């Protein structure tokens, strides 16, 4: 039984379920106490090792071992037993309202009440009896696809679970490695995008090399109706998700989850192991720790490693294991080195290292003085700008519009209307601005042809960007209309914002 089952529930639990839980708890009392204690103890402490040793004894007796499950960034203690066992994993699905950022709430769909889901740790050769429980107050059915499972759907085919129900299946942990698990209920993208993923570690038969610290870090991208940092409760935006335009890119389910008081910690001279996952649903992570070089990287969490790596790719639905020794005290930032995601969308964490200075390795600032250049820089000659198209209009068009409306604005017959010589777009400037700002859904006639689809809102763009892209469109491909100003966009935004 997991530690999460011992905590008071956020919801009212039905009476029959209380009885079942109580009966199970009485039968497993001594094992539960040991498991809960191990989950609350750092993996490198003597007490954690003692707990693992007790598990080794239980395995030798043929008993079923309850899995130790932890919330990020904590990791269950290493497995010290050297023989396979039967391991019981109980994981509850719930839909809960949690902070996404300061003043921003979001309804997450979770494995275990938080994002990412619980960290599961088993051993190669273990037989895992998996129980998935869907909270009675959930609105949707859910299941689980564990990438560590050899079998249809990674277990998803056997775990479709309605609210208030429990399902069970068993699998053999055949392959060592670090694997993502996620919900695979249709529409799969929506379930994953709302937070339904986590990591399961299958330790090799000989175990992992000992380190001083182990942490669980999982990146994901989120898509909200409101713009970045727009306050209040924010619903999921499927159109943004399909277009891969995340509002937030974060570690461990929320902006700031690994900053300040919640930062990861280590001491000079310690070896640190990070289990890094990427829940996606869309973006590939370029994981990097600023000021450190990874001594070892198990790319895609396989059994082979590379050495002396600066940045490693973690695919959506994939994972990596990185290890390094910290030698200099200070603050080390964890980032997605697609760097605007880190400093503009939230993919930023911190490792605080304490200990003695290591001046021979890193001196810190030694001096500062005035500098006079020996010559003037070369004069900059600005490129001519065509005012009718806006300097950034083509860039914005290529980024946001070209996929649907094509390179020359010709559109796709029967699917996406043309922008070249478009009677609809050119007839009313205010209407064109409002369409870009707020989107458009439903039947539409353009140049005598009928279309019926969805134009996603682009209100997250700045007024200048919208003015420039409309000016570009209105002066390209045979269009010859006056440019649009940022002031016109601002006026329409103020009148039509909703």
């Amino acid at each position: 039984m997991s530690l999460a089952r011992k905590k008071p529930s956020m919801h009212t639990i039905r009476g029959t379920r209380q009885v079942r839980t109580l009966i199970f708890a009485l039968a497993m009392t001594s094992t539960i106490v040991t498991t809960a204690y191990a989950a609350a103890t750092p993996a490198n402490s003597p007490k954690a090792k003692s707990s693992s040793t007790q598990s080794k004894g239980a395995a030798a007796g043929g008993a079923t071992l309850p899995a130790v499950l932890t919330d990020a960034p904590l990791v269950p203690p290493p497995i010290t037993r050297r023989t396979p066992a039967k391991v019981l994993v109980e994981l509850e699905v719930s839909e809960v309202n949690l902070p996404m950022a300061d003043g921003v709430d979001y309804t997450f769909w979770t494995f275990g009440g938080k994002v990412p889901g619980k960290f599961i740790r088993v051993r190669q050769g273990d037989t895992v009896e998996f129980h998935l429980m869907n909270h009675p107050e959930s609105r949707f059915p859910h299941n689980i696809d564990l990438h560590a499972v050899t079998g249809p759907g990674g277990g998803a085919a056997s775990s479709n679970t309605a609210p208030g129900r429990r399902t069970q299946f068993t699998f053999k942990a055949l392959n060592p490695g670090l694997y993502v698990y996620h919900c695979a209920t249709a529409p799969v993208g929506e379930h994953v995008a709302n937070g339904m993923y986590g990591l399961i570690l299958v330790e090799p038969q000989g175990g992992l090399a000992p380190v001083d610290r182990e942490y669980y870090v999982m990146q994901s991208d989120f898509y909200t109706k409101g713009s970045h940092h727009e306050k209040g409760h924010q619903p999921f935006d499927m159109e943004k998700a399909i277009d891969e335009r995340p509002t937030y890119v974060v570690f461990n389910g929320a902006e700031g989850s690994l900053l300040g008081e919640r930062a990861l910690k280590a001491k000079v001279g310690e070896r640190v192991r990070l289990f890094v996952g990427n829940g996606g649903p869309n973006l590939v992570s370029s994981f990097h720790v600023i000021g450190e070089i990874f001594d070892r990287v198990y790319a895609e969490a396989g059994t082979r490693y590379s050495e002396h790596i600066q940045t490693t790719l973690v695919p959506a639905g994939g994972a990596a294991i990185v290890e390094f020794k910290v030698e200099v005290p200070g603050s080390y930032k964890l980032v997605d080195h697609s760097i605007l995601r880190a400093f503009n969308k939230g993919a930023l964490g911190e490792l605080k290292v304490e200990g003695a200075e290591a001046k021979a390795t890193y001196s810190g600032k030694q001096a500062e003085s005035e500098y006079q250049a020996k010559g003037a820089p070369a004069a900059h000659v600005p490129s001519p700008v065509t005012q009718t198209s806006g300097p950034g209009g083509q860039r914005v068009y290529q980024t946001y519009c070209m996929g649907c409306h094509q390179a020359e604005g010709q559109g796709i017959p029967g699917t996406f209307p043309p922008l070249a010589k478009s009677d609809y777009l050119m007839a009313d400037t205010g209407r064109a601005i409002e369409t870009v700002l707020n989107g458009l859904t439903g039947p539409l006639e353009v140049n005598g042809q009928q279309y019926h689809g969805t134009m996603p809102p682009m209100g997250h763009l700045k007024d200048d960007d919208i003015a420039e892209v409309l000016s570009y469109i209105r002066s390209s491909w045979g269009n010859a209309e006056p440019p649009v100003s940022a002031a016109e966009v601002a006026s329409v935004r103020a009148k039509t914002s909703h």
Side-chain angles (χ1 to χ4, degrees):
M1 180 175 288
S2 71
L3 179 61
R5 299 282 291 177
K6 292 178 65 65
K7 295 180 181 178
S9 175
M10 295 175 59
H11 308 281
T12 301
I13 302 178
R14 293 177 180 173
T16 55
R17 190 171 181 183
Q18 287 178 323
V19 173
R20 290 197 301 268
T21 303
L22 178 59
I23 291 172
F24 187 82
L26 291 173
M28 301 286 290
T29 300
S30 61
T31 307
I32 294 170
V33 171
T34 300
T35 302
Y37 187 74
T41 307
N44 57 314
S45 74
K47 291 181 179 179
K49 293 176 182 177
S50 173
S51 174
S52 295
T53 301
Q54 292 176 21
S55 296
K56 179 180 178 181
T64 298
L65 302 178
V68 178
L69 307 180
T70 57
D71 292 320
L74 302 181
V75 177
I79 296 173
T80 59
R81 57 183 167 83
R82 290 298 175 256
T83 56
K86 185 175 182 180
V87 180
L88 173 66
V89 176
E90 292 189 311
L91 194 56
E92 183 185 74
V93 175
S94 58
E95 300 160 10
V96 296
N97 191 48
L98 296 170
M100 171 78 74
D102 186 22
V104 181
D105 291 334
Y106 188 83
T107 301
F108 293 88
W109 302 355
T110 75
F111 288 107
K114 293 185 178 179
V115 176
K118 302 286 186 180
F119 194 104
I120 305 169
R121 193 168 196 159
V122 298
R123 178 194 179 279
Q124 184 183 10
D126 282 351
T127 298
V128 181
E129 182 180 307
F130 202 100
H131 293 243
L132 187 69
M133 300 89 72
N134 194 349
H135 196 280
E137 294 183 9
S138 294
R139 296 177 297 158
F140 303 101
H142 300 287
N143 63 17
I144 190 165
D145 168 4
L146 300 107
H147 291 187
V149 169
T150 300
S158 304
S159 59
N160 291 310
T161 311
R165 304 293 292 175
R166 173 197 291 253
T167 58
Q168 174 185 335
F169 66 96
T170 300
F171 70 92
K172 189 91 165 182
L174 298 177
N175 303 100
L178 180 67
Y179 299 95
V180 167
Y181 66 80
H182 61 87
C183 186
T185 302
V188 179
E190 183 172 5
H191 286 248
V192 175
N194 280 316
M196 301 197 74
Y197 38 76
L199 293 180
I200 176 171
L201 173 67
V202 181
E203 287 198 20
Q205 293 179 0
L208 297 176
V211 294
D212 299 290
R213 309 268 181 168
E214 291 182 327
Y215 290 112
Y216 172 18
V217 178
M218 198 158 194
Q219 181 173 319
S220 47
D221 32 295
F222 287 94
Y223 304 82
T224 65
K225 289 287 186 183
S227 59
H228 188 254
H229 284 171
E230 185 171 326
K231 303 299 183 184
H233 183 270
Q234 293 297 325
F236 171 65
D237 190 324
M238 178 61 94
E239 291 179 357
K240 281 186 182 179
I242 292 171
D243 288 345
E244 300 186 8
R245 294 186 289 109
T247 318
Y248 296 88
V249 184
V250 298
F251 295 132
N252 291 357
E255 192 175 73
S257 64
L258 296 176
L259 294 174
E261 295 181 353
R262 295 182 290 272
L264 308 181
K265 294 178 173 58
K267 295 181 180 179
V268 169
E270 290 184 332
R271 293 198 63 81
V272 177
R273 175 182 289 136
L274 301 180
F275 298 106
V276 183
N278 184 3
N282 290 323
L283 303 183
V284 172
S285 173
S286 301
F287 185 75
H288 176 76
V289 177
I290 300 176
E292 266 298 343
I293 298 167
F294 303 142
D295 299 329
R296 291 182 177 182
V297 172
Y298 294 81
E300 300 185 12
T303 54
R304 298 182 182 275
Y305 61 82
S306 299
E307 298 179 299
H308 315 307
I309 303 298
Q310 58 188 314
T311 301
T312 189
L313 290 173
V314 186
I321 302 173
V322 304
E323 299 174 359
F324 53 94
K325 181 180 180 181
V326 287
E327 298 173 296
V328 178
S331 173
Y332 295 80
K333 297 297 188 290
L334 284 62
V335 299
D336 181 339
H337 215 298
S338 297
I339 206 70
L340 291 175
R341 299 176 188 169
F343 297 103
N344 297 82
K345 298 207 177 231
L348 181 66
E350 183 180 17
L351 171 66
K352 290 184 177 179
V353 179
E354 297 179 347
E357 295 288 342
K359 296 293 188 181
T361 301
Y362 179 73
S363 70
K365 183 183 284 189
Q366 294 177 309
E368 182 175 347
S369 59
E370 185 176 349
Y371 169 74
Q372 293 290 340
K374 294 183 179 180
H380 173 67
V381 179
S383 300
V385 174
T386 303
Q387 295 298 324
T388 57
S389 63
Q394 185 176 17
R395 172 188 56 80
V396 176
Y397 182 83
Q398 291 171 342
T399 302
Y400 294 100
C401 313
M402 190 170 70
C404 294
H405 297 289
Q406 304 301 293
E408 301 298 324
Q410 68 268 34
I412 298 177
T415 305
F416 298 109
L419 304 182
K421 300 180 179 178
S422 166
D423 56 3
Y424 180 88
L425 191 65
M426 302 303 154
D428 188 328
T429 302
R431 184 176 65 183
I433 295 172
E434 184 177 355
T435 299
V436 176
L437 281 170
N438 301 321
L440 188 65
T441 300
L444 181 69
E445 182 175 325
V446 178
N447 296 345
Q449 298 295 316
Q450 295 295 320
Y451 297 87
H452 195 295
T454 298
M455 159 74 181
M458 297 288 178
H460 66 284
L461 295 176
K462 296 178 181 179
D463 293 346
D464 285 341
D465 289 333
I466 293 175
E468 288 176 354
V469 72
L470 283 173
S471 296
Y472 171 75
I473 292 168
R474 289 162 64 86
S475 61
S476 302
W477 320 307
N479 298 330
E481 297 296 325
V484 175
S485 70
E488 288 177 289
V489 177
S491 176
V492 175
R493 188 191 294 271
K495 293 177 182 177
T496 65
S497 61
H498 50 268

